[in-house]
Amino acid sequence: MNKKIDVSRDREFVSFGDCVIRSRVSLFRSMTDFSFPLKMSTADSQRFMTRVKERLSRLSDSQQSLFRAEKINGADFDYYRDRGILSEEYSRLAQTAFFYLYNNATALLLLGREQIELRSVVPEFELFHAAETVIECDRLLETVFPYAVSLRHGYLNSRLDLTGAGIEAEVLLSLPALNQTDEGDRLLKIALSENLKIAPYRCPALKENIPGVLTVTAVALDSESEEEMLSRFAKNLSTIIKMERLKRREWKPEQIDQISARYREALERIHSSVKMTLLESYQLLDIIRTAILAGVADFSCSTLNRLFDFLKESSLTRFRRQFSKSDEPVLCDHLRAGVLKDIFCGKAEVLCLKD
């Protein structure tokens, strides 16, 4: 399990940006002498948090500086949750919501599905780089945290499928060509044969599924290392994406004409709109992505991938507060329409987002 991740592997899958919106890698750990979160009392959770802070204080000054404590208010929780950095389960706990950011890249979540979750979320497909970041943090914490680990079974967790390497990987996929066909059964067969979980993406901001967007999740099998699991996951994604690309080649001239017509209608809608809901935006992004892949729109799928989270209310609110000194209420539907108009009907060619 201590094998170093080869981040150069990401370069093999750099072209996945036409389908992969974002990626996440999580490591799940438990500490000895404590029950799993669902069995903890409030007093136990407070004792656990005290132990965490005491253990982190044992790190050297330079190591401690890599961790930045984050208390979560409502707006911050929505922002981190919508970007996938916090899980929805985290909000439903009775314990005080609290986490650390490690080196401004990895979230150290406390008392989520497990006692400790290290989570890294990256754009498109940079899964091996995300894994290296969480593993680096994990190895550092392991020097001061009494992890619950067995020589026979590996890292122990409340979920049996996480016991062992304790790693989980997830990507959000957009597959517009496959969505136009009845290929669901083939995807499910791939998922079952390779121990993947495929489900519609449920947007936490809307509390409903987004048509055309899937989550694909994998965990390490028995005795499988982090590197082996990620390699298997990447190969399985490659198979699914090849299926998607083959279906695009089957588009007939009349289908491409229909895609082009829908794209022109989408641009007209964006140009004439003064406000736009998030669901409407997602519908338009799906039309634009299909047009890009059909060769009738001259935009980048990377721009659409970045917009996916940026158009959520929590990000727009944060964006407005960062760049505007006005105390006026943030009207997100108007901001969203303005962003889309600037990018697709204006002069903005690159979307540059920084936290």
Side-chain angles (χ1 to χ4, degrees):
M1 288 185 200
N2 288 306
K3 183 179 177 181
K4 185 175 176 63
I5 293 293
D6 179 10
V7 297
S8 66
R9 295 289 306 280
D10 283 331
R11 289 198 292 269
E12 296 180 35
F13 309 101
V14 69
S15 62
F16 279 11
D18 59 334
C19 297
V20 179
I21 297 171
R22 75 172 183 222
S23 308
R24 171 179 64 82
V25 173
S26 292
L27 293 180
F28 297 91
R29 302 290 185 253
S30 295
M31 201 186 301
T32 58
D33 300 327
F34 288 94
S35 303
F36 293 123
L38 292 178
K39 299 290 186 181
M40 275 190 192
S41 65
T42 301
D44 288 336
S45 68
Q46 291 172 346
R47 186 168 62 89
F48 175 83
M49 292 301 302
T50 300
R51 177 76 62 84
V52 167
K53 293 173 187 176
E54 186 272 326
R55 292 283 173 167
L56 285 176
S57 70
R58 296 187 184 185
L59 297 172
S60 68
D61 290 343
S62 60
Q63 291 172 331
Q64 286 185 49
S65 66
L66 294 172
F67 291 89
R68 187 176 85 241
E70 294 284 330
K71 294 216 176 193
I72 306 228
N73 58 33
D76 284 343
F77 173 80
D78 289 342
Y79 174 72
Y80 287 118
R81 177 205 60 186
D82 290 345
R83 288 179 58 198
I85 293 174
L86 285 178
S87 63
E88 286 191 84
E89 291 96 332
Y90 200 64
S91 67
R92 294 196 288 268
L93 296 169
Q95 298 90 335
T96 302
F98 194 88
F99 76 109
Y100 289 84
L101 285 181
Y102 171 73
N103 213 15
N104 293 324
T106 295
L108 167 58
L109 315 180
L110 307 169
L111 300 171
R113 281 185 284 172
E114 301 299 333
Q115 292 174 6
I116 299 171
E117 177 185 354
L118 292 95
R119 174 181 288 218
S120 182
V121 179
V122 293
E124 297 181 357
F125 190 92
E126 295 180 13
L127 213 59
F128 293 93
H129 185 271
E132 182 191 49
T133 307
V134 293
I135 289 170
E136 176 186 86
C137 181
D138 180 54
R139 301 303 183 245
L140 177 59
L141 292 175
E142 200 163 18
T143 64
V144 293
F145 276 62
Y147 281 163
V149 61
S150 161
L151 292 177
R152 180 180 177 184
H153 299 292
Y155 295 104
L156 304 179
N157 288 289
S158 64
R159 280 173 47 187
L160 290 178
D161 60 339
L162 290 176
T163 293
I167 186 172
E168 179 181 78
E170 176 192 81
V171 297
L172 296 189
L173 280 183
S174 178
L175 307 170
L178 284 174
N179 287 336
Q180 297 173 10
T181 63
D182 188 17
E183 292 288 345
D185 289 341
R186 286 183 64 191
L187 288 179
L188 287 175
K189 286 179 182 178
I190 291 173
L192 289 172
S193 64
E194 297 294 342
N195 293 280
L196 303 181
K197 180 181 178 182
I198 297 180
Y201 168 67
R202 182 173 176 80
C203 176
L206 294 174
K207 294 184 172 55
E208 61 180 278
N209 296 340
I210 302 300
V213 180
L214 300 173
T215 61
V216 184
T217 310
V219 297
L221 305 178
D222 289 343
S223 74
E224 202 173 34
S225 69
E226 296 110 338
E227 175 87 21
E228 290 167 340
M229 188 280 276
L230 292 171
S231 297
R232 171 175 60 87
F233 189 41
K235 289 177 182 176
N236 294 333
L237 287 175
S238 183
T239 299
I240 294 171
I241 290 172
K242 284 177 182 176
M243 290 171 58
E244 160 71 16
R245 290 170 177 169
L246 285 172
K247 283 300 174 183
R248 292 178 208 157
R249 293 181 189 176
E250 297 176 7
W251 279 339
K252 298 177 181 178
E254 56 267 27
Q255 287 179 285
I256 293 178
D257 288 342
Q258 292 173 355
I259 291 170
S260 182
R262 291 185 68 208
Y263 171 59
R264 290 194 299 271
E265 291 172 359
L267 289 184
E268 290 174 3
R269 185 173 167 190
I270 291 172
H271 186 266
S272 62
S273 295
V274 294
K275 59 182 181 177
M276 185 81 63
T277 67
L278 180 57
L279 184 57
E280 289 171 333
S281 298
Y282 281 155
Q283 293 168 343
L284 291 170
L285 291 182
D286 185 57
I287 293 171
I288 294 170
R289 184 184 296 271
T290 306
I292 292 170
L293 300 175
V296 298
D298 188 20
F299 292 101
S300 166
C301 285
S302 290
T303 297
L304 306 186
N305 296 335
R306 294 177 187 179
L307 281 170
F308 187 81
D309 287 326
F310 183 72
L311 290 176
K312 293 172 181 174
E313 182 172 335
S314 58
S315 289
L316 289 173
T317 301
R318 201 178 186 94
F319 167 79
R320 176 65 177 268
R321 288 173 180 168
Q322 280 183 332
F323 296 99
S324 173
K325 296 181 180 180
S326 173
D327 292 328
E328 295 178 7
V330 178
L331 303 175
C332 288
D333 286 358
H334 293 277
L335 277 175
R336 195 176 291 116
V339 169
L340 292 175
K341 195 174 299 184
D342 283 345
I343 292 173
F344 297 112
C345 302
K347 297 179 179 179
E349 297 178 355
V350 178
L351 186 67
C352 181
L353 307 177
K354 291 185 179 180
D355 189 10

